[in-house]
Amino acid sequence: MSATYGGRRFERVVETVNAQRPDVVAIVGDLVDGEVDELREDVAPLADLVSEQGVFFVTGNHEYFVDTRAWLRHLPTLGVDVLRNERVPIRRGGASFDLAGIDDRTAARSGVPGHGADLDAALDGRDDAVPVVLLAHQPLQVEQARAAGVDGQLSGHTHGGQLWPFDYAVRLDQPVVEGWSQQGPTQLYVTAGAGYWGPPMRVGARPEVTVIELQPGRPTPPR
């Protein structure tokens, strides 16, 4: 979200999400590129998101370019729950899983006191028999998730490469640019996201709202 991406464009994204009738909405960081006072009206449609189990957010690196704490105070007023190295239970009928969320990997060096990715804290005390899905902004964070036996990770950060051939540069830093992959025991999905960073355009990187259907016993690639 920036001064050039808001208004009716963002309202359409919210409408698209709501049309899926989701159980859970996950926002995996890089939501904003400006201060709360600049973007207050632009992000207001977040309050219109509707889901059975809630709307959850984890920080991306862009949230640390601005007043992070101001945004983490403002988002809950719009009905968005911020997961900071913690988890919540998600239940539907007799099925359940843990939804965990950790800070972006740049958080520890951002200068914001108390911020930093801590997967151990997010998973501490959980029942290992219950599946866990992790929200972690950068795909690279799957390295720790894989070692911890996390079942699935949802990430963003790459913008799908945004401008071809920039996706080749992304591959030097991240294990996956977009889409579904199996990383050891952990399924990873990297969304290309709906917006952009820098130049207001995307070339060879289609924007997306991702729908993921969880089924027991076998991986189901998103649509």
Side-chain angles (χ1 to χ4, degrees), residues 38-119:
E38 299 169 337
L39 301 178
R40 187 182 302 273
E41 295 303 318
D42 294 291
V43 301
L46 286 171
D48 297 326
L49 284 168
V50 178
S51 68
E52 291 289 333
Q53 303 278 344
V55 180
F56 299 93
F57 168 84
V58 292
T59 57
N61 56 305
H62 286 205
E63 277 74 41
Y64 292 100
F65 297 163
V66 294
D67 188 341
T68 313
R69 288 177 290 187
W71 276 111
L72 299 191
R73 290 191 299 268
H74 185 62
L75 289 175
T77 71
L78 302 175
V80 179
D81 291 324
V82 179
L83 294 179
R84 294 202 50 244
N85 304 320
E86 57 191 318
R87 68 182 186 280
V88 293
I90 303 295
R91 298 184 178 89
R92 181 179 180 184
S96 68
F97 70 94
D98 287 337
L99 182 68
I102 58 176
D103 292 347
D104 182 59
R105 70 169 175 144
T106 64
R109 60 178 184 270
S110 68
V112 181
H115 282 239
D118 190 341
L119 182 58

Side-chain angles (χ1 to χ4, degrees), residues 1 8 10 19 29 60 82 89 105 121 128 143-144 149 202 204 207 211:
M1 180 65 61
R8 180 58 187 151
F10 189 54
V82 179
R105 70 169 175 144
D128 292 339
E143 294 179 0
Q144 188 179 9
R202 299 174 70 116
V211 178

